[in-house]
Every structure is written in C-alpha cells, then in structure tokens.
Amino acid sequence: MSEVQTGKNVNLDKVQERIENHIDTISTYTATPGRGTTRLTYSQEDLLARQYIKEKMKEAGLSVREDGLGNIFGKLEGSLKDAPSVLVGSHFDSVPNGGAYDGPAGVVAGLEVAKLFAENGLAPKYPLEVVALIEEEGSRFGGGLMGSRGMAGLLTEEDFKTLKDKDGITTIEAMKKIGLDPSLPKARDQKSVKAYLELHIEQGPILEEKNIPIGIVEAIVGLTQLEVTVKGQAGHAGTTPMDRRSDALVAAAGMIAQFPELAAAEGNGTVVTTGRLQVYPNGANVIPDQTVFSVDIRSGKEEHVLNVIRKVKELAESYHDNGVEITIEQPLYIQPKEMNKEIVSLLKEKSSKLGYPSYLMNSGAGHDAMVFADYTSTGMLFIPSKNGLSHCPEEWSDSRHIAEAVQILFEAAAELTEAE
Ligand code: HGY
Ligand code: MN
Ligand code: MN
C-alpha cells in the first residue's frame, strides 16, 4: 500500500473554524431550542440537517445520494473501477434534549476529510464516501443503530415497515413526509465497502482525566434493550382498597428499583438503565392499568448481559401473582464487538506520526461501528467529553480535538484509499 505523506498540508486552524461552523449550524436544527438537541429521525429537524449535510458534501465535490432508509452518502470516485469504498462518518439523529456533538462530530469529521482530499488534490484509487446515518439512537422508532443495521442487511423490509413512533406514524409515512424514497435499496453489498472509520465523542470521563486528546477504540460493550409491558387493572384511586388493586405502575416501580442492585451483583462494569417509562392512562386519580418501560443493559462480556436478561425475566415472573401480566420484548441485542486490529494500528501509527498522544480504550456506549465491525474493517476514534457528560445539553467537546482527529482520519483514509 503506498505511503501517502499528507499530514503536512493541513491548516488545522482553518479546519477547526469550519468544524465550529458546522457543529454550530447543525445544532440549530433541534425541536427544543435552548434545551439541547432533539433531532428525531425523518423529522423537520432531520430534514434541515440533511439539507445542510448534502450541501456541504456537494461543496466538497462529492456526488450525493440517499438510500432506502435515508442514510446520506457523499462519494469521491476512485480510479479503480467498481472498487469498494472507504466510509467515514457517523449518525446525525439525537436523543431527546441531547447534546450537539453526539453523532454530528463524526459526520462533520467525514465532511472535513473529504474537504482535505479536495484541498490537497488527492485522487483516491478506492473511493472515499462520507456517510451520515439515521436513527442510531432509536429515539423515534426504538431499538437503534437502524441506519447501520439496515445497510448491513440486519433489518428486514418487514421489520422496517412495521416500525411506528409513539404517535403511530410508520417509518414509511415519516420518510415520505420529508421527501425520501423508502423503495430504494436499504441493504448494501458488503463487497462495496473496504472500511468504515468513525470519530465519536467519548461520552465518558477517561480521556479528560488522563488529559489525552485521542482515544483509539479497541472494543465496544455489548448492548441490549428490553421493552417491558406491565398490564394491570385501571380503577378509582379513592374507592379501590389497597389489597384489591393490580397496579401496573407499582409493579413496574418495584422491578426498576431493583436494577441497581442487580447490576452491582453482576459486577464487571455491568450497567442497567431505565430511561423511558410510559404510564397509561396517566391520570392522577386513576390506578394505572398499563406501563411500558425500557431496560438498557450493557457489559463488556456477553455472559453478564445474558445473566441480567435472565434475572429481569425472573423478576417479572415474581410479579405475576399480584394480578399483573408482564411481557418482555427485545428490540435490540448486540454482542460486544472488537474493532479491526489493522485499523486500530493504522490509527495509532497516524496519531503518533502527527504527534498526537493517544490511548487505547473500550467504548461503554454503543455505536454504528459495532454493527459495521461484522460487515467491514472498522475503526473508531474518540475525543474527550467535557466533565464526561453526554446525552444532555451540557455535552461539549473541543473543536481543536475534532480537528486533530480529522487529521488522523485524513491520513488513514488517504492510505486506505491509496490516494495520490
Ligand atoms: O446508547 C448509546 O450508547 C448510543 O449513544 N446510542
Ligand atoms: Mn448517543
Ligand atoms: Mn452517538
């Protein structure tokens, strides 16, 4: 593979300035201005961000297309006919009231890598593609990692069509509403992709504490999401004696209150979180007859995730005698994933060549890279998160760190695409 010495012609101040403009602009595409980023998939905010990303892709000289899920691709053709592409990007949806960097930092990094190819007149042998993925968070349609799972062929047409948001709007209806074409292909032939590189904020405290600007991800924890539905009996809050109730919320609260202890007993960094709870009919003087809550389970080892799933099911069984009926769905189950060792060493080599200290680490957050790990040669870079905060309006990362990561990705992509 030809060594491409490209690190010298990068004006980091200019790159940093463009990055700040990109992040600031994309952060305005939110349904909750002043209260963090809320950009749900196929929403009006998605459409505004999509239009911006496509415009920047075109400005960088890329040919732009969207697939049958709404993933956006900006391609710089290579000289080798029908050669597989090197993808650089991340997702551009958000959690409710999240931050401005989770996802967009990686999409913007991809845009900047392409810009640097253009500024340096680099002609790749293997195509370079900037990718902006949809529904990584699962905030609108549940599950998550939808853009990458769809590309990797892990999401059937049937599954996709039946997905609905909390208002009963289907994926297809929502796509059409913003002018996307769900009939376009979703799965992408694995042979058309050579590698996937993603920059992401760490979303934890390690890099900041170690004062190291670059994290190189070796593995991503296993991630499971359960959806628990508790069915009881609605009733009058005043006239129903306490021993005559099948209260769906009391049962849910009893289960959820035991999760911290359950995670601690499992140990090994296992974490269990209930982030979403819906109560029906949600009236102050009505005994709830139904609750639906999420259980997010993560651990470095699959056996701990499986143990926790089993214990949650046993806990549900123990509530059946209180006259409630509990069912558990599993919209997402992904085993822990290792990054490609060659890509890890390439990123490490490029970081040290550029003089950036780096730290090999695991990711406690899930990412599209964990889906692509089984699909192509995949690698991830992290940059520090201020106070380790993420998934909240306080989320912040230094645009200088993003610029440095862009430089590493630029060198790595130049080598992987054999650009000259
Ligand atoms: O939940 C996660 O780990 C990621 O932010 N979707
Ligand atoms: Mn996230
Ligand atoms: Mn993310």
Side-chain angles (χ1 to χ4, degrees):
M1 215 184 277
S2 66
E3 188 61 18
V4 182
Q5 287 303 337
T6 54
K8 307 294 171 285
N9 12 17
V10 173
N11 177 332
L12 223 46
D13 294 338
K14 240 173 71 182
V15 171
Q16 181 180 355
E17 195 187 324
R18 287 200 297 254
I19 286 168
E20 282 170 1
N21 290 335
H22 290 319
I23 296 282
D24 291 350
T25 308
I26 296 173
S27 70
T28 62
Y29 307 137
T30 171
T32 52
R35 286 182 299 117
T37 299
T38 303
R39 185 164 48 249
L40 300 188
T41 299
Y42 311 141
S43 64
Q44 285 309 306
E45 295 72 37
D46 168 312
L47 180 57
L48 291 168
R50 180 180 296 279
Q51 287 164 340
Y52 178 84
I53 292 166
K54 285 160 66 175
E55 180 200 318
K56 293 304 164 193
M57 283 177 169
K58 286 177 193 141
E59 279 176 20
L62 305 178
S63 58
V64 179
R65 72 176 180 89
E66 288 156 309
D67 67 9
L69 291 154
N71 292 317
I72 312 167
F73 299 88
K75 187 173 187 180
L76 174 63
E77 281 301 346
S79 53
L80 285 177
K81 199 167 162 359
D82 301 333
S85 299
V86 173
L87 270 54
V88 187
S90 189
H91 64 96
F92 67 106
D93 63 312
S94 79
V95 294
N97 303 96
Y101 297 81
D102 176 358
V107 174
V108 162
L111 290 174
E112 280 307 303
V113 166
K115 187 83 177 167
L116 289 173
F117 266 66
E119 281 181 351
N120 287 275
L122 283 192
K125 283 211 186 86
Y126 293 83
L128 173 76
E129 287 193 55
V130 179
V131 59
L133 297 159
I134 57 108
E135 195 63 350
E136 188 273 348
E137 301 290 2
S139 304
R140 182 168 185 184
F141 297 103
L145 304 173
M146 187 194 285
S148 46
R149 284 190 296 137
M151 268 180 71
L154 302 175
L155 185 69
T156 64
E157 196 60 48
E158 214 28 59
D159 288 349
F160 179 72
K161 271 204 293 223
T162 49
L163 287 170
K164 289 194 175 99
D165 69 5
K166 62 178 176 40
D167 301 321
I169 299 171
T170 67
T171 45
I172 306 275
E173 288 160 345
M175 282 186 78
K176 287 181 178 164
K177 200 143 178 264
I178 62 166
L180 292 171
D181 178 357
S183 70
L184 290 172
K186 296 178 177 62
R188 175 167 173 169
D189 181 351
Q190 221 166 335
K191 292 194 289 302
S192 73
V193 179
K194 185 182 186 211
Y196 173 76
L197 304 177
E198 180 171 1
L199 164 67
H200 204 284
I201 55 172
E202 180 202 335
Q203 301 180 295
I206 296 168
L207 290 174
E208 185 180 57
E209 273 165 16
K210 291 184 176 298
N211 193 21
I212 296 179
I214 297 291
I216 299 177
V217 178
E218 290 189 292
I220 303 177
V221 294
L223 159 56
T224 292
Q225 297 226 338
L226 303 178
E227 179 149 293
V228 182
T229 302
V230 184
K231 281 197 169 57
Q233 173 58 55
H236 194 296
T239 56
T240 313
M242 293 310 285
D243 62 355
R244 305 268 290 272
R245 297 180 177 211
S246 299
D247 185 326
L249 183 50
V250 166
M255 286 180 69
I256 295 165
Q258 296 185 55
F259 290 163
E261 211 177 293
L262 207 155
E266 198 58 40
N268 295 283
T270 304
V271 286
V272 184
T273 314
T274 289
R276 191 175 57 235
L277 168 68
Q278 285 142 327
V279 183
Y280 302 96
N282 214 21
N285 55 356
V286 181
I287 301 168
D289 67 334
Q290 181 168 308
T291 49
V292 181
F293 63 88
S294 61
V295 189
D296 180 303
I297 307 164
R298 312 201 189 193
S299 191
K301 286 216 181 76
E302 190 176 10
E303 65 187 273
H304 302 303
V305 174
L306 293 172
N307 285 345
V308 171
I309 294 172
R310 180 174 45 77
K311 288 176 185 166
V312 170
K313 288 179 176 169
E314 286 164 2
L315 199 51
E317 273 308 306
S318 71
Y319 277 85
H320 271 260
D321 50 8
N322 298 12
V324 298
E325 188 208 315
I326 302 178
T327 52
I328 299 178
E329 311 265 316
Q330 186 172 286
L332 183 68
Y333 178 84
I334 294 216
Q335 293 144 324
K337 289 285 159 58
E338 299 234 320
M339 297 294 101
N340 177 282
K341 290 196 173 14
E342 278 178 42
I343 301 274
V344 169
S345 41
L346 177 68
L347 293 172
K348 189 135 186 62
E349 176 218 322
K350 297 304 180 188
S351 308
S352 41
K353 233 186 212 162
L354 289 162
Y356 299 134
S358 63
Y359 177 69
L360 290 171
M361 61 194 292
N362 289 340
S363 170
H367 298 289
D368 290 305
M370 70 199 298
V371 174
F372 288 130
D374 291 337
Y375 173 77
T376 188
S377 304
T378 296
M380 265 197 108
L381 287 182
F382 275 171
I383 55 165
S385 289
K386 188 159 180 261
N387 303 325
L389 290 176
S390 179
H391 281 189
C392 58
E394 298 81 2
E395 181 183 280
W396 184 88
S397 286
D398 188 332
S399 54
R400 190 65 177 195
H401 290 155
I402 301 176
E404 290 165 0
V406 163
Q407 207 174 359
I408 298 165
L409 291 176
F410 172 50
E411 292 267 1
E415 186 160 318
L416 289 166
T417 58
E418 298 184 21
E420 274 151 7

